[in-house]
Amino acid sequence: MNTLKSFVQDQWVEGREPFATLVNPSTEEPLARTSTNGIDMGAAVDHARAHGASLREMTFAQRGELLKAWSKALHEKRDELLGLAMQNGGNTRGDAKFDVDGAIATLAHYAELGAQLGSLKALRDGEAVQLGRTARYAGLHLWVPRDGVAVHINAFNFPAWGTAEKAACALLAGMPVVSKPATSTALVAFRLAEIGAGVLPRGTFQFLCGSPGELLDRLGPQDVVAFTGSSQTAARLREQLGRRGARLNVEADSLNAAVLGPDVEPGSATWDLFVADVVRDMTQKAGQKCTAIRRIFVAGDRLPAVQEALVDRLSQVRVGDTARAETTMGPVSTADQLRDVRAGIDKLASESQRVFEGKISESKGYFVPPTLLLARDAAAAKVMHKDEVFGPVATLAAASDAAGLVRRGGGGLVCSVYSDDRDFLRKCVLDVAPYHGRIYIGSEKVAGQTLGPGTVLPQLLHGGPGHAGGGEELGSLRGLQLYSQRVALQGDRALLDAIAPEKS
Amino acid sequence: MNTLKSFVQDQWVEGREPFATLVNPSTEEPLARTSTNGIDMGAAVDHARAHGASLREMTFAQRGELLKAWSKALHEKRDELLGLAMQNGGNTRGDAKFDVDGAIATLAHYAELGAQLGSLKALRDGEAVQLGRTARYAGLHLWVPRDGVAVHINAFNFPAWGTAEKAACALLAGMPVVSKPATSTALVAFRLAEIGAGVLPRGTFQFLCGSPGELLDRLGPQDVVAFTGSSQTAARLREQLGRRGARLNVEADSLNAAVLGPDVEPGSATWDLFVADVVRDMTQKAGQKCTAIRRIFVAGDRLPAVQEALVDRLSQVRVGDTARAETTMGPVSTADQLRDVRAGIDKLASESQRVFEGKISESKGYFVPPTLLLARDAAAAKVMHKDEVFGPVATLAAASDAAGLVRRGGGGLVCSVYSDDRDFLRKCVLDVAPYHGRIYIGSEKVAGQTLGPGTVLPQLLHGGPGHAGGGEELGSLRGLQLYSQRVALQGDRALLDAIAPEKS
C-alpha cells in the first residue's frame, strides 16, 4: 500500500508505525497509509522560523507570484486531483470540483491581490492622521507580518480548498506555513502539498501528513494556529495555546439557517433560488460543508408548500458510489462520520418528525440518505439549535420570529435570508448580524448569478462568532490580518513614509 | 468613613461586610471604604442586556452626544477630580491632570467621531465589491454592535482615563457597559461614574465599586471583557472566559524599551527629547504607567553620556507627599505595590548595578526613590526582559543589536526609537514592529510637539502582542472593533445599501 510522506525541513519523510489507513468511503477499500510518528516537530518549527525572514523580505508581488505558481501547477494536475478527491473523499465529480477549483481560485485571488500591492511589504491600515500642532507630527497604522510560524489544522471535508485558502493568506501576509490535513482524506492534501513543495521556496511550506504530535507545544506568542474542526478540539486548543500565548483562529460548528421571507411566492425566482440553495446545501458533499444549511425557517404561512418542494427535489437525488456517473450524492467520509450522523439524526428526531428519507442501494460504504426533518416546535426545540449533524440532513420549521430562532444557534458562519421585501430584510439581517460572519441575501435580482450561501468566496469573510468559533479567514486582504500585527507608528511624517511607504 | 456605592440596575447600592479600605498613599490615612459583597451580579448583566437595544438603535451621532455630555460634566468637576486623584492616587497635580484630562479628552475624541458618523448605526469595513457577472451582485463588510454586555476591568494607575477610554469605545460601538475599577484607587472612578450616571441613559452604564464577584460567570459569546492588569490575572480570565466563549481583550505587562540611535549627538534636539522622555516616563505617576520606559538601549558608544544626563535629571526629582507644591514625584499607590517594586528592584539588581537612587525624607507613605540601573550584560540578562517593575525604575544598557534586545521583552505596548538616520530607523522600526502595538519615533523635527511614548493618544492603538496581552484598544474607530462583530453581507447591491447605508 502507498505510504504518504510528510514534508519537513524541505525533505519528504515517512513516519513510523502505527499507521492510519485512508479508505474509499464508497467502497471501504484501503487506498494509502500515513503516520507522522517519529517526525521531529521541534525541527519543523525551527526550520519555518529560520526561513520566515526570506518571506518577510519579499514584496507582496513576489509572495503573490508564489501563489500564482502554485495555483497554475494545481490547475495542470486538476484531473488527477479530482480523481483523488472522488476516491478518498466520497466526492461526486461536482463535489471534487468544488474543493479543487476552490483551492485553485483562492490561490489565484490572493496572487492577484499580491500583484496589486506590488512593491509594498506591509499594509497600511487607514489613513495617516495629524497628531501635533503641525501636519509634520503624524500617526499611522501598519499591518506587519508576525515573526513566527503559521500552523494550519484542516478539516476532512475540504482537503484541497482548506489547505490552499489558509496557506494563501499566511504566505501572502509573509508567514511560513506548517500545514496539517485531516488524516482520513489526506490523499488530496498530500498531492496538493507535493505540487506546492515544487514551487514554494525553502522553509516556507511544510506538510505533516497525520497527527501534529507535540507540534503545538513548540509555539509561542508570535505564532498563529488556524484550526478548522470540532468545538471540542477547539476548546482543547484554546487552553493549550492560551497558555503559550500563540494566536488561535477557530472555525468550528455552525447551525447555519436559511430564512424564507413571508413575501416570497411559490414559483417566483426568489422561491426557486431558496429551494435550489437548500437542496444543494443538503446534498453537495453529502452535506459535509461547515456552511451548509442545517435549519430552515419559513417566516410566512407557506410551510406545506416549502416541504412539498423540498421533498420533491430531494426525491430526485441518487445516492451511491461516486465512481458511477449517475450518482448525484456520495457517502460521508468515514465510518466515524457515518456513526455520528446517524446518531445525530436520531437525536434530532426526538423533537421532530422525519418527513423525507432517501434510499440507498449500496451494500458497502458510508452512505446516509438525504433526510428532511420537520420540527414539532422550533421555539421549544433544543437539539436543532445546538447539535451540528454533519451530513445530508436539515430541519424545517415554521417561524413567527425567524431572527430569534436563527440566534438560538449561538453564532454561525452564514445565515441566508430569502426575500424581496426591504423592510423584512433590513430587520431580519440586522437582527441576526451580530451572530454571524456572513449573511447571504437571496432575492429576485441576483437569483441567476449566486452560488448559494454554502460557497465561501475569497472576497468575503469566512468564520463566525460564538458556536462557530469566533474566527475570521479570507475576506480578501482581511485574511492577512490573522498573520499580522497591527502596529501604530508615530513621528515625523516624512520618516513614517520612508519606513512604511503608502503606495507601491 | 465614607462608604462608596456601586451603580447597579440604575440604583446606587452599598455592598456588605467585609469592606476594603482606600487610603492616601502619601500619608497612609484611610479615605473611604467599599464592597460589592451582596450585589446581584446576574441582575447587573441582565439589566445591561435588557437595555442594549436602546443603544444599538441610536445613531453614532446620538451615542456621541452621550459621550460629549459625560466629557463636559467631567470638565465641570475637574478640580474636584484632580483633588481626589492627588489624595487617593498619590498623584502630583500634573499626574492627576494626566489621568483626568486624558479621560475628558478621550471621551471628547469619541464624541467627535460619533458626530462625524452622523445617522449611521453600523460601520462599513472597506468598499463594496462585485461578486457576480454584474455589478448588481455585491458583497460588503459591516461592523455591527455585539448583542451583549461590555465588562471593563480597570487597573489602579488610571482610575479616570481607564474607565473613560474603555467606556467611550464600548458606548460609541453600541454596547452597554459594566465598569469595575481597581478597588485601591476607586475614589476617582467612583466620582467619574457618579457623574456619568447623571448623563447616560438607563441601563447603558453600571459601576461595580470593588470585586467583580461571580460577574464573569454570567457572560457568554456575545459579551466582551476588556481587562487591564497583570499577566497572572489575565491568564485566569483567559481560561474562565475561553470556556464561556466571551471575547477577552487583555492589556498586561510590558517591558517598554527606548532605543537611542547611534547618530544622536549629546545636546541635539533628538538627544534632549530622549532624555526628557525617559525621565518623564520614569517619574510621572511614580513610574506607574503601563507604557513607561523600563529598558533603555543605547545603540552607539554614548552610554556614559546618557547615564550622566539621566542621573543629572533624576537628581532634581523631589519625592514626597503630593499635597506639598514642591513635590515632583509621589508615592506608589499601595503598600502591596511598594513591596512588589522593592522586590522587583532587588531582582533587577542581581544582573545590574544601581547607578542612581533618589532620596526620600517622608516617614510614612509608599515612597520608592527614582532608581536607574545599569545592566552588566543586557544580552545575557533575563530579569530585565521579563519582569515589569511597576515603579520609578529603569535599566540602562549598551546595545550592539538594539532591536534584538527590544524583542527579548516578548511583546510590548510601545517602543520608542530616537534617531534622525532613516536607514537606522527603517531597520530598527521594522525589526521590532511585530512585537509592539505602537512605535514612537523621536526625531529632531517633532521634538517640540510630542508628549513622549508614555502618553496614549485616542487616535492610535493601545495594546501589544505577547507579554503585553495581545489586545487592542483605542486607535479612533479601531477601538470600536472589540465591541463589534464584523459581518459580510452579500446580495443585490441596492438591498445591501438599504440595509446598511454607506454614508450618513
Side-chain angles (χ1 to χ4, degrees), chain B residues 98-442:
Chain B
F98 192 66
D99 184 25
V100 172
D101 290 347
I104 294 170
T106 304
L107 286 168
H109 176 81
Y110 280 90
E112 175 57 30
L113 291 176
Q116 286 167 17
L117 295 171
S119 64
L120 295 179
K121 296 178 181 183
L123 279 180
R124 287 221 186 164
D125 182 78
E127 305 283 315
V129 291
Q130 179 171 337
L131 296 178
R133 292 186 311 273
T134 71
R136 186 179 275 282
Y137 182 35
L140 60 84
H141 291 81
L142 202 61
W143 291 101
V144 296
R146 288 163 76 97
D147 183 19
V149 50
V151 172
H152 292 162
I153 305 178
N154 284 299
F156 68 86
N157 54 339
F158 285 103
W161 175 81
T163 304
E165 58 97 14
K166 285 185 167 61
C169 291
L171 292 171
L172 188 62
M175 281 192 88
V177 168
V178 176
S179 185
K180 191 216 101 52
T183 308
S184 59
T185 59
L187 213 51
V188 174
F190 169 75
R191 193 67 189 102
L192 199 95
E194 249 188 347
I195 296 166
V199 298
L200 297 170
R202 213 177 140 68
T204 57
F205 184 79
Q206 296 178 84
F207 179 74
L208 294 173
C209 201
S211 154
E214 25 76 278
L215 177 72
L216 303 183
D217 292 325
R218 304 305 183 110
L219 303 182
Q222 286 284 320
D223 302 315
V224 178
V225 175
F227 167 78
T228 300
S230 74
S231 297
Q232 291 97 305
T233 309
R236 258 193 296 122
L237 291 177
R238 224 170 242 126
E239 215 177 296
Q240 186 181 6
L241 296 168
R243 275 196 307 270
R244 307 200 58 78
R247 188 184 278 181
L248 173 64
N249 192 81
V250 170
E251 198 249 278
D253 306 355
S254 180
L255 285 307
N256 313 296
V259 175
L260 183 70
D263 59 300
V264 185
E265 303 276 353
S268 66
T270 306
W271 175 278
D272 291 347
L273 177 66
F274 163 77
V275 172
D277 282 355
V278 169
V279 173
R280 186 198 300 107
D281 264 17
M282 286 182 68
T283 58
Q284 189 174 45
K285 288 183 80 65
Q288 298 170 105
K289 292 188 316 209
C290 341
T291 51
I293 294 165
R294 307 289 175 197
R295 301 180 296 155
I296 308 155
F297 297 122
V298 179
D301 51 9
R302 300 217 168 79
L303 186 69
V306 168
Q307 183 179 323
E308 191 186 339
L310 293 176
V311 168
D312 178 55
R313 288 290 195 89
L314 290 169
S315 311
Q316 299 165 34
V317 175
R318 277 169 299 182
V319 184
D321 186 339
T322 56
R324 281 197 296 274
E326 69 272 20
T327 296
T328 58
M329 192 183 99
V332 296
S333 292
T334 64
D336 282 357
Q337 285 299 314
L338 177 65
R339 188 201 56 212
D340 289 355
V341 172
R342 281 178 175 165
I345 294 174
D346 288 346
K347 215 170 154 193
L348 283 171
S350 69
E351 56 187 32
S352 61
Q353 174 196 349
R354 285 175 221 237
V355 294
F356 178 79
E357 191 177 73
K359 282 186 202 61
I360 296 165
S361 52
E362 305 287 344
S363 58
K364 283 214 143 196
Y366 313 132
F367 295 98
V368 178
T371 305
L372 183 69
L373 299 139
L374 178 66
R376 276 194 281 278
D377 178 351
K382 286 182 179 152
V383 181
M384 74 173 290
H385 304 301
K386 198 172 124 292
D387 288 10
E388 184 189 41
V389 181
F390 213 64
V393 188
T395 307
L396 176 66
S400 54
D401 171 21
L405 291 176
V406 170
R407 301 202 308 204
R408 289 278 305 282
L413 297 172
V414 57
C415 175
S416 46
V417 188
Y418 299 83
S419 171
D420 293 282
D421 176 338
R422 285 184 184 211
D423 293 331
F424 174 79
L425 280 172
R426 191 184 293 111
K427 174 138 183 44
C428 185
V429 168
L430 292 176
D431 277 357
V432 303
Y435 292 80
H436 291 88
R438 181 163 58 88
I439 299 175
Y440 165 100
I441 298 161

Side-chain angles (χ1 to χ4, degrees), chain A residues 56 122 125-127 129-147 221-222 238-239 242-243 245 247 407 410-411 414 419-422 425-426 429-431 433-443 445-446 448-453 455 457 459-461 463-467 470 472 475 478 481 485-496 498-500, chain B residues 56 122 125-127 129-147 221-222 238-239 242-243 245 247 407 410-411 414 419-422 425-426 429-431 433-443 445-446 448-453 455 457 459-461 463-467 470 472 475 478 481 485-496 498-500:
Chain A
R56 291 194 296 275
D125 181 76
E127 304 284 313
V129 291
Q130 180 171 334
L131 296 178
R133 294 185 309 275
T134 70
R136 186 180 276 284
Y137 182 34
L140 60 84
H141 291 82
L142 202 64
W143 291 101
V144 296
R146 288 164 75 98
D147 183 18
Q222 287 284 320
R238 225 169 240 127
E239 215 177 298
R243 276 196 306 270
R247 189 184 276 181
R407 301 202 310 203
V414 58
S419 172
D420 293 281
D421 176 338
R422 285 184 184 211
L425 280 172
R426 190 184 294 113
V429 168
L430 292 177
D431 278 356
Y435 293 79
H436 291 89
R438 182 162 57 90
I439 299 175
Y440 165 100
I441 298 161
S443 68
K445 297 281 172 56
V446 297
Q449 51 180 325
T450 84
L451 301 169
T455 298
L457 300 169
Q459 295 93 332
L460 302 182
L461 269 190
H467 205 131
E472 287 189 339
R478 295 170 191 83
Q481 296 174 354
Q485 169 66 28
R486 180 155 61 171
V487 59
L489 304 185
Q490 63 186 122
D492 177 352
R493 178 72 187 257
L495 293 176
L496 300 185
I499 292 166
Chain B
R56 292 193 296 275
D125 182 78
E127 305 283 315
V129 291
Q130 179 171 337
L131 296 178
R133 292 186 311 273
T134 71
R136 186 179 275 282
Y137 182 35
L140 60 84
H141 291 81
L142 202 61
W143 291 101
V144 296
R146 288 163 76 97
D147 183 19
Q222 286 284 320
R238 224 170 242 126
E239 215 177 296
R243 275 196 307 270
R247 188 184 278 181
R407 301 202 308 204
V414 57
S419 171
D420 293 282
D421 176 338
R422 285 184 184 211
L425 280 172
R426 191 184 293 111
V429 168
L430 292 176
D431 277 357
Y435 292 80
H436 291 88
R438 181 163 58 88
I439 299 175
Y440 165 100
I441 298 161
S443 67
K445 296 282 174 54
V446 296
Q449 52 179 325
T450 84
L451 300 170
T455 299
L457 300 169
Q459 295 93 332
L460 303 182
L461 269 190
H467 205 130
E472 286 189 339
R478 294 170 191 86
Q481 296 173 356
Q485 169 66 29
R486 181 156 58 174
V487 58
L489 305 185
Q490 64 186 121
D492 178 351
R493 177 72 187 258
L495 292 176
L496 299 185
I499 292 166

Side-chain angles (χ1 to χ4, degrees), chain A residues 189-202:
Chain A
F190 169 76
R191 193 67 189 102
L192 199 94
E194 248 188 348
I195 296 166
V199 297
L200 296 170
R202 213 178 140 67

